[in-house]
């Protein structure tokens, strides 16, 4: 497992990268998976990573597992990589925005 200082930094980085609340993320996951004829159960909506981010948002730092920490690093790296793309603003790229929202980051949020 990660040492305490590294975990503190990761916790802060993760919560900075994931700027959607757990309620916002849960709602987005349901909407993004819904079709005209099908709406998934709330606990099964979205990607596995999106569901894992939602679960992490509902945990205390002391309850994190090694898998949670791996996902947190993955999410922070993904958000940094996707928002550092200089060729096109994220806000104007709805596909990229929706991909980021699936892991809890809405680039249109301040």
């Amino acid at each position: 497992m990660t040492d305490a200082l590294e975990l503190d930094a990761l916790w802060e980085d993760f919560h900075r990268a994931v700027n959607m609340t757990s309620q916002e993320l849960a709602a987005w996951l349901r909407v993004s998976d819904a079709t005209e004829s099908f709406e998934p159960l709330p606990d099964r909506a979205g990607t596995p990573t999106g569901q894992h981010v939602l679960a992490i948002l509902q945990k205390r730092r002391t309850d994190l597992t090694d898998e949670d920490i791996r996902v947190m690093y993955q999410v922070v790296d993904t958000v940094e990589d996707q928002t550092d793309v200089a060729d096109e603003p994220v806000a104007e790229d709805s596909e990229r925005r929706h991909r980021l929202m699936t892991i809890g980051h809405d680039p249109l949020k301040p």
Side-chain angles (χ1 to χ4, degrees), residues 43-96:
D43 62 336
R44 293 202 171 100
T47 65
T49 303
Q51 282 294 319
H52 203 137
V53 169
L54 186 58
I56 292 169
L57 288 174
Q58 298 168 347
K59 289 185 175 188
R60 296 177 301 173
R61 187 181 335 193
T62 56
D63 296 332
L64 296 174
T65 65
D66 288 341
E67 181 65 12
D68 294 338
I69 291 169
R70 187 193 64 73
V71 168
M72 290 170 72
Y73 275 118
Q74 175 187 353
V75 166
V76 169
D77 289 344
T78 300
V79 169
E80 287 175 356
D81 289 346
Q82 290 292 310
T83 56
D84 284 346
V85 176
D87 64 342
E88 186 175 343
V90 174
E92 294 177 14
D93 182 350
S94 62
E95 184 178 320
R96 189 180 326 157

Side-chain angles (χ1 to χ4, degrees), residues 30-40:
R30 285 191 307 274
V31 167
S32 67
D33 262 10
T35 65
E36 285 185 28
S37 60
F38 174 75
E39 185 172 333

